[in-house]
Amino acid sequence: YRLAPQAGMEIAPSLRSALEEVSKMCFGTLATDTPPPQTPIRVAPSIADLKERFEAELAPQTSTDFPATVEAFVTRLRRWKNIFQRKVDDMPDIQLLESMSRHLVELRDSDIEVFGQYFDVDGEPSPALFAKVRRVSSDVRVVRRHSGGRRLELLGSDGRVYPFVLETSVNAASQRTEERSAQLLRAVNRILLKQPQSRSRRLLVE
């Protein structure tokens, strides 16, 4: 949407399909001739007030004046980008865990291993040597990125604090890309740790 569209260009069917999926996931929007699901789709309270306007203007399934050309569509998309950006900017930087998951709040002295401890293990791992999750931090920090993740911290049985970022995204490809990037960074760091010069200088890629 940042590029100047060609005048009169029609919207591709693939773009309409993608936007229909976004509307369905965010607002539970269905086509008028589609029967309602057995389990209603929950709309996040932070954007519930936008549901009616979004479905009227930008959801291909329900909009009565959905843009016919790319130029008109980009204009409307930019306006909605600003609407959602204001919603994001109004969100608090820190949220309470109890407002998100009662199960995580009540998690104490579990036998669950802290995630990610097997990455650098050579040979057969010994579970008894790995830290267990003692509790989850009560504060959850909002990560202001494209995926809108949440950063929480796990307190391990070894006394260390382990930070993690939880992400949800309508684009599975972006999640796979970040996963592959993390794997690449771990591989590079293992190589750096094996070299005496880089190890003595504590060189790591983050």
Side-chain angles (χ1 to χ4, degrees):
Y1 67 88
R2 298 187 181 186
L3 301 178
Q6 297 181 9
M9 181 184 295
E10 296 184 354
I11 298 177
S14 59
L15 182 57
R16 290 179 62 98
S17 298
L19 192 55
E20 287 178 0
E21 189 63 23
V22 171
S23 305
K24 180 180 177 181
M25 295 184 65
C26 295
F27 296 101
T29 308
L30 299 174
T32 54
D33 57 349
T34 302
Q38 295 182 350
T39 303
I41 299 176
R42 180 177 176 272
V43 180
S46 58
I47 60 173
D49 60 317
L50 301 178
K51 174 178 170 64
E52 185 175 347
R53 290 169 55 196
F54 186 91
E55 291 180 339
E57 297 183 18
L58 210 54
Q61 308 98 304
T62 55
S63 177
T64 57
D65 64 338
F66 189 80
T69 64
V70 173
E71 186 175 12
F73 173 72
V74 168
T75 300
R76 187 169 297 185
L77 190 64
R78 284 172 174 163
R79 184 167 63 83
W80 272 96
K81 173 183 177 292
N82 293 332
I83 292 174
F84 282 118
Q85 187 61 54
R86 287 194 294 270
K87 285 284 187 180
V88 173
D89 293 340
D90 290 340
M91 292 176 61
D93 292 331
I94 296 179
Q95 300 178 349
L96 296 179
L97 182 65
E98 62 184 13
S99 66
M100 301 179 180
S101 174
R102 172 57 56 183
H103 297 291
L104 292 180
V105 172
E106 297 175 349
L107 184 66
R108 291 288 188 277
D109 299 327
S110 72
D111 292 328
I112 302 173
E113 295 176 2
V114 176
F115 323 119
Q117 298 181 91
Y118 285 29
F119 286 129
D120 298 322
V121 175
D122 295 326
E124 187 69 22
S126 177
L129 300 179
F130 295 110
K132 307 297 191 298
V133 178
R134 286 294 171 255
R135 65 179 180 85
V136 183
S137 173
S138 59
D139 292 336
V140 180
R141 183 171 295 276
V142 176
V143 180
R144 301 190 183 279
R145 294 166 54 182
H146 60 85
S147 56
R150 301 292 185 271
R151 185 181 189 272
L152 57 79
E153 297 177 339
L154 305 181
L155 178 62
S157 57
D158 56 355
R160 293 179 56 190
V161 175
Y162 296 85
F164 289 90
V165 174
L166 308 181
E167 294 186 346
T168 58
S169 174
V170 295
N171 188 352
S174 65
Q175 293 181 329
R176 288 194 294 269
T177 299
E178 292 194 7
E179 181 182 1
R180 298 296 183 269
S181 299
Q183 292 174 350
L184 176 61
L185 291 179
R186 287 195 295 269
V188 172
N189 286 333
R190 282 197 292 268
I191 296 175
L192 292 175
L193 290 174
K194 290 181 179 179
Q195 302 300 319
Q197 292 183 344
S198 58
R199 185 172 63 246
S200 64
R201 297 172 63 184
R202 299 181 180 180
L203 296 180
L204 291 175
V205 181
E206 296 183 352

